[in-house]
Amino acid sequence: MKNYVIGLDYGSDSVRAVLIDTENGQELASDVCHYKRWSNKEYCNASINQFRQHPLDHIEGLESTIKAVVTASKVAPSQIKSICIDTTGSSPIPVTADGTPLALTKGFEHNPNAMMVLWKDHTAINEANEINELAANWGGIDFTKYEGGIYSSEWFWAKVLHVTREDEAVKKATHTWMEHCDYMTYMLIDDKDLKSFKRSRCAAGHKAMWHEDWNGLPPVEFLEKLDPYLAQLRGDLYDATYTSDVVAGTLNQEWATKLGLTTDTIIAVGTFDAHSGAVGAKIDENTLVRVMGTSTCDILVSTKEIIGSKCVKGICGQVDGSVIPGYIGLEAGQSAFGDVLAWFKETLAWPLDNLVYTSNVLSAEQKAQLKIEVESNFIKTLTEQAQAIPLSESIPTALDWVNGRRTPDANQGLKSAISNISLGTKAPHLFKALINSICFGSKKIVDRFEEEGVRIDSVIGIGGVARKSPFIMQTLANVLNKPIKVAASDQAPALGAAIYAAVAAGIYPNVIEASKKMGSDFESEYFPQADQIEAYQELMDSYSDLAQFIESITK
């Protein structure tokens, strides 16, 4: 009898489920559900970098997608052995003592502070600065040292501190906080003891300063210097953490009935999307896996013998087992990648949205047809014209910091800038400059790893940008001066989650063996073009000069 597993992948805009044959990694069924409240921009305020999501978007999405793949596959429920969930992070959720998300309780249904604080929410910049100041000067261990030495406003403690300072009602009603990947896993399992629940090693190590060197989370003595609330909260969090090849529990009766599965279905410990994506793409030593979407997460694995006690500066953490148990997982990334181009598209589209599509000259049918035509050709035409601009022509220099800088050296207070604009600068020139900027930001990350002694021989790209934009991928290969393979799977993070699920179910002995059998093939490869490398290096120098200047004047 064949065995099957489900990988569930939560992205920024939607959740997707895949049902996978464990024998060969074949995808039998997949389904995607977009978050309806998020699509309406509810609970968000981009002007202050506030991005919150209602837990119902995620709960409804889980039920919809898993039911869809179970039905479409026609696989017997008894053959679906396990589920693993990956999510964005750090995306913490306040929950009550009985494990209910606060937003699902009376009086908090529409309070943004009771929602999940999405990874890209940067309202906690001041709190992150406080954490960094204290970690460097309190006289004890620097608890940020395994997280690149700089704590980010994108991460757990800063977000919790900001929300609870801003909203006393949320603070009083909240029993504990859970990362998104932990809550969704907890919701499905039978055992509802919050204290013994198996929290994600990946989430805790990369975002909450958890490390074996100090026996878990930072101690009360450190946290109370930040805020007495954090010291109190620590007792309602966790001590041990677990890798995603471990069983978190079995599916409870309520969700077994809803999903059409059995209570024998194993639920694996949750994880983050980039880390499971790296597993889905068959990550190996000295290979950088770039998960390229609205932002990027860059993942490497290394042996303990190579990394030893060395702390890689300015990255998003190094955690034993966060990607592959037995290896040190290293994470970096850009706060905006596809979002840079989405911002530019939205800016250019302002006249269309506010003048053309609201015009009385056109009929409703004409407006609808025009909108479809523009949408299908917008980025395509910009790309074609930008690609045709020779590197010898004057091209503006842009920074990719439209949502701050994640790595190297997190600074979410930084803003983007564009220089070298002239009367000859047109939209395709700016588009090319922005594509260059996201590639140059990527190069800064690679340079930092290599400066710190972490070798990178090749790069694997996964995600929508990697598969849909040969122009960006070729530019990236030229800028990095390294070959880049593109994973063929549309759903590499979900596939990676399925691989973890197969190991948790005992179908494979370890993640490496499971990844070899179930991981994605590669559909294309980009090689550096020798005649382009020098020209891109000159443009990279301009990027570095502009970055240094902007950082020097940023308060």
Side-chain angles (χ1 to χ4, degrees):
M1 182 180 292
K2 284 201 165 204
N3 295 315
Y4 302 92
V5 290
I6 292 173
L8 194 70
D9 168 47
Y10 282 95
S12 298
D13 302 319
S14 61
V15 57
R16 55 210 57 84
V18 294
L19 192 145
I20 301 293
D21 184 335
T22 60
E23 187 177 347
N24 51 24
Q26 180 185 354
E27 179 185 298
L28 270 70
S30 67
D31 192 68
V32 176
C33 177
H34 291 269
Y35 313 137
K36 63 182 181 182
R37 297 164 189 82
W38 171 255
S39 298
N40 294 330
K41 298 183 168 37
E42 295 180 34
Y43 316 114
C44 298
N45 184 349
S47 68
I48 59 170
N49 291 312
Q50 176 183 296
F51 297 99
R52 310 289 166 85
Q53 292 186 336
H54 201 295
L56 281 177
D57 274 344
H58 305 288
I59 295 168
E60 291 164 0
L62 180 148
E63 182 174 0
S64 171
T65 55
I66 292 184
K67 282 172 69 174
V69 298
V70 170
T71 301
S73 69
K74 296 183 171 54
V75 169
S78 61
Q79 291 179 268
I80 300 174
K81 301 299 183 182
S82 183
I83 298 170
C84 181
I85 298 170
D86 74 72
T87 68
T88 64
S90 178
S91 299
I93 305 171
V95 301
T96 64
D98 65 358
T100 302
L102 195 59
L104 302 186
T105 65
K106 187 175 172 129
F108 294 98
E109 299 94 331
H110 301 290
N111 183 340
N113 289 322
M115 304 297 160
M116 187 187 82
V117 187
L118 188 64
W119 66 269
K120 67 194 277 184
D121 186 296
H122 291 159
T123 52
I125 288 176
N126 291 336
E127 287 76 13
N129 290 339
E130 284 183 52
I131 292 171
N132 287 315
E133 178 69 20
L134 180 64
N137 298 298
W138 81 297
I141 294 170
D142 181 352
F143 296 109
T144 71
K145 70 178 184 176
Y146 290 113
E147 298 191 85
I150 302 174
Y151 201 76
S152 170
S153 62
E154 293 184 343
W155 300 346
F156 181 83
W157 292 109
K159 287 177 170 176
V160 170
L161 188 54
H162 176 78
V163 169
T164 53
R165 281 179 174 173
E166 186 175 77
D167 197 319
E168 187 69 20
V170 167
K171 178 179 175 180
K172 286 182 177 178
T174 298
H175 172 70
T176 191
W177 289 75
M178 301 181 79
E179 281 287 354
H180 186 200
C181 66
D182 286 331
Y183 175 72
M184 302 311 297
T185 301
Y186 172 81
M187 183 183 77
L188 293 182
I189 66 171
D190 200 33
D191 185 352
K192 293 303 181 186
D193 182 358
L194 276 171
K195 191 62 181 173
S196 64
F197 171 69
K198 293 176 182 175
R199 307 271 190 140
S200 165
R201 169 77 55 85
C202 177
H206 285 283
K207 311 302 180 187
M209 297 188 283
W210 184 96
H211 200 273
E212 300 97 326
D213 279 6
W214 42 85
N215 300 314
L217 296 169
V220 167
E221 299 79 47
F222 175 79
L223 295 173
E224 67 184 359
K225 290 180 182 296
L226 284 168
D227 194 291
Y229 171 76
L230 296 187
Q232 174 190 329
L233 174 64
R234 191 193 186 285
D236 293 317
L237 289 171
Y238 50 89
D239 296 311
T241 63
Y242 299 85
T243 54
S244 291
D245 58 334
V246 172
V247 176
T250 53
L251 190 62
N252 62 51
Q253 185 62 62
E254 176 189 359
W255 278 98
T257 301
K258 285 182 179 180
L259 301 176
L261 296 173
T262 76
T263 55
D264 292 329
T265 308
I266 286 168
I267 310 299
V269 171
T271 189
F272 281 165
D273 49 2
H275 302 74
S276 63
V279 169
K282 299 180 181 176
I283 191 170
D284 203 350
E285 288 185 69
N286 308 319
T287 298
L288 177 70
V289 175
R290 308 205 76 225
V291 185
M292 292 181 277
T294 55
S295 65
T296 76
C297 272
D298 299 336
I299 304 296
L300 286 159
V301 294
S302 187
T303 62
K304 297 174 185 176
E305 290 74 23
I306 291 175
I307 293 294
S309 59
K310 179 179 179 59
C311 295
V312 181
K313 293 184 293 187
I315 63 169
C316 301
Q318 52 193 82
V319 180
D320 183 5
S322 65
V323 183
I324 297 176
Y327 287 77
I328 303 296
L330 300 105
E331 178 190 344
Q334 291 164 273
S335 292
F337 195 79
D339 267 355
V340 175
L341 307 181
W343 162 80
F344 187 57
K345 178 187 174 186
E346 187 174 335
T347 301
L348 291 185
W350 187 93
L352 293 170
D353 294 334
N354 291 275
L355 297 172
V356 177
Y357 300 147
T358 59
S359 170
N360 293 324
V361 174
L362 302 174
S363 68
E365 183 180 354
Q366 287 173 318
K367 290 175 192 174
Q369 290 176 341
L370 179 61
K371 192 167 187 176
I372 292 170
E373 183 180 357
V374 169
E375 282 294 314
S376 64
N377 290 306
F378 204 113
I379 294 296
K380 177 175 176 286
T381 304
L382 268 177
T383 298
E384 289 171 352
Q385 294 194 20
Q387 196 166 5
I389 300 171
L391 293 179
S392 58
E393 190 169 325
S394 179
I395 300 169
T397 299
L399 300 179
D400 53 313
W401 299 340
V402 296
N403 198 24
R405 183 181 65 206
R406 182 179 296 157
T407 46
D409 305 319
N411 187 343
Q412 303 306 156
L414 290 172
K415 303 296 182 186
S416 183
I418 303 176
S419 68
N420 196 33
I421 295 174
S422 71
L423 290 175
T425 302
K426 308 299 181 188
H429 293 85
L430 290 171
F431 189 67
K432 191 180 187 85
L434 292 170
I435 287 175
N436 288 345
S437 79
I438 59 179
C439 294
F440 294 151
S442 307
K443 180 71 161 62
K444 288 290 188 182
I445 292 170
V446 169
D447 287 349
R448 174 57 61 87
F449 275 123
E450 294 185 332
E451 289 162 5
E452 292 287 302
V454 180
R455 201 174 97 209
I456 298 174
D457 295 333
S458 62
V459 180
I460 295 173
I462 66 175
V465 175
R467 299 198 70 209
K468 294 175 183 176
S469 180
F471 178 37
I472 292 176
M473 298 309 295
Q474 185 59 62
T475 302
L476 187 60
N478 290 337
V479 169
L480 298 183
N481 195 15
K482 295 181 187 295
I484 304 174
K485 291 190 289 188
V486 176
S489 175
D490 275 329
Q491 313 288 3
L495 177 58
I499 290 170
Y500 285 130
V503 181
I507 297 167
Y508 288 98
N510 57 60
V511 173
I512 293 175
E513 290 301 313
S515 181
K516 287 177 182 176
K517 291 283 190 179
M518 297 173 62
S520 174
D521 292 327
F522 301 102
E523 65 179 13
S524 57
E525 188 165 8
Y526 297 85
F527 296 93
Q529 296 167 317
D531 61 334
Q532 303 281 297
I533 293 170
E534 186 176 343
Y536 275 113
Q537 183 57 57
E538 291 178 7
L539 292 169
M540 177 79 193
D541 292 341
S542 297
Y543 171 94
S544 298
D545 291 342
L546 181 60
Q548 185 176 5
F549 171 71
I550 293 299
E551 191 159 11
S552 72
I553 63 171
T554 300
K555 295 181 181 179

